[in-house]
Amino acid sequence: LWLPPLAAQENTMRRTLFTLACWLVLAPIAARKDVSAAPSKTLRPNILIILTDDMGYGDVAILNRDSRIPTPNLDRLAREGLIFTDAHSSGSYCVPSRYGLLTGRYMWRTRLGSGGNLANFAGTLIEPGRKTLADLLRGAGYFTGLVGKWHQGIDWKLRDESAREVIRVHPNYQDFRNIDFASPVLKGPNDYGFDYSFATAGSAEMNPSTFIENNRATIVPTLSSQQAKETNGQWYGRDDNIIAEGYTMDRLVPTLSKKACDFVEMATRTRPGQPFFLYYAMTAPHNPIVPNREFVGAS
């Protein structure tokens, strides 16, 4: 089963209509298909949600004959599965669309209201005690995983706790010395129903530029944007980032894709008989766009 990806383009509200609601039909459709054929214990299909960032439904070739992007694998999934063409998004950009997918609620019910984005270190957005899609599926016996862009806020451990409220409203907090990146976060993806997580805090160009695995930074970020640029020869999207050694834009998508595949392998090999749910929230094609060498000249 394949469904059109999220279109989060700010300049065209029409393109946002193919969104998260499409993905949510995956479980009920798959389950309904087998209702008459199998016992209830077999009615729990594995669920994979792939959420792309800033991708229009017209970018997929099978949905748009004028698309200039070859998408043979998505086209095959579409031909062999189902395509849904009437769906609606809870918001036209990152934070509200993710909040709506995970909680089933509108963004304007949050502390951010109907507008605004979530700042780099603003803290978790999902309210304490709020059940998520991952909570629901874990309660139904699923092994749950998140790989990719989280962007629902993380509560980092602070050396000076009095700055907590300042950080929640500051659009671009820069006192990195006050954030204890070496310690587990106080609240992150694993606190919202995910048994496993490997994520970026926000978009690829947002602070901190490091991977966070099971609520802990895999490498403590120490490099400035200029230092990382001099070392890796890449643009990082902002001039005021703090970046981990080895964190490069060209390997971002391959790293996340491998982690997504690793999760599926782990779930199927070590947990036979238990269904899995993987939420793979890609950082692409949202900026910064740094092509991989293997694709030079190919697109």
Side-chain angles (χ1 to χ4, degrees):
L1 177 64
W2 178 82
L3 303 151
L6 168 68
Q9 304 285 4
E10 293 181 359
N11 61 344
T12 310
M13 196 61 184
R14 175 182 172 84
R15 300 181 72 187
T16 68
L17 298 181
F18 284 81
T19 60
L20 305 165
C22 293
W23 301 104
L24 287 176
V25 299
L26 177 58
I29 289 291
R32 195 161 57 240
K33 209 172 173 184
D34 297 322
V35 163
S36 62
S40 60
K41 287 187 178 180
T42 67
L43 299 182
R44 298 184 299 167
N46 295 322
I47 301 172
L48 168 62
I49 295 178
I50 303 175
L51 178 64
T52 57
D53 203 15
D54 281 356
M55 182 176 179
Y57 65 84
D59 293 339
V60 182
I62 199 168
L63 301 178
N64 176 16
R65 66 179 61 185
D66 296 320
S67 175
R68 299 175 65 183
I69 305 172
T71 54
N73 293 317
L74 292 180
D75 296 348
R76 178 183 173 185
L77 285 170
R79 285 194 300 270
E80 296 178 359
L82 297 173
I83 301 173
F84 295 87
T85 57
D86 185 3
H88 307 271
S89 176
S90 61
S92 61
Y93 57 101
C94 307
V95 176
S97 56
R98 283 161 172 74
Y99 180 82
L101 169 64
L102 291 170
T103 69
R105 287 162 56 86
Y106 285 113
M107 171 78 163
W108 51 261
R109 294 184 181 275
T110 72
R111 70 173 193 268
L112 289 182
S114 58
N117 214 345
L118 197 63
N120 292 336
F121 299 107
T124 49
L125 180 65
I126 300 174
E127 305 85 353
R130 176 71 56 200
K131 278 202 170 185
T132 67
L133 177 60
D135 284 320
L136 185 70
L137 290 170
R138 185 161 68 175
Y142 278 74
F143 179 52
T144 59
L146 158 71
V147 173
K149 177 179 174 178
W150 171 239
H151 213 176
Q152 291 296 286
I154 289 176
D155 287 313
W156 295 90
K157 183 178 179 181
L158 304 181
R159 293 185 171 88
D160 177 10
E161 184 61 34
S162 66
R164 180 73 62 186
E165 290 306 311
V166 173
I167 290 176
R168 286 171 70 84
V169 298
H170 198 293
N172 194 26
Y173 188 75
Q174 292 290 302
D175 187 4
F176 302 139
R177 293 171 300 178
N178 189 34
I179 302 173
D180 184 1
F181 291 115
S183 294
V185 303
L186 301 181
K187 187 176 289 186
N190 286 61
D191 295 292
Y192 292 101
F194 292 102
D195 296 307
Y196 174 80
S197 66
F198 186 91
T200 59
S203 297
E205 81 282 7
M206 293 180 67
N207 278 320
S209 293
T210 189
F211 292 117
I212 303 160
E213 187 169 28
N214 291 329
N215 284 8
R216 189 166 195 159
T218 57
I219 299 176
V220 174
T222 57
L223 301 178
S224 67
S225 292
Q226 185 59 34
Q227 289 172 324
K229 184 177 180 180
E230 292 171 356
T231 301
N232 302 311
Q234 293 184 6
W235 174 61
Y236 279 82
R238 300 174 66 99
D239 295 328
D240 52 11
N241 276 10
I242 184 166
I243 300 163
E245 289 271 6
Y247 186 94
T248 62
M249 294 294 102
D250 64 323
R251 302 316 301 169
L252 185 60
V253 171
T255 297
L256 294 175
S257 292
K258 182 180 184 304
K259 286 292 182 179
C261 292
D262 288 347
F263 175 84
V264 173
E265 287 284 338
M266 173 179 63
T268 54
R269 289 186 179 184
T270 66
R271 297 168 178 266
Q274 181 181 12
F276 69 80
F277 163 55
L278 174 61
Y279 168 40
Y280 179 23
M282 297 185 68
T283 58
H286 185 71
N287 68 304
I289 300 168
V290 180
N292 297 299
R293 291 178 182 175
E294 55 263 41
F295 295 111
V296 172
S299 65

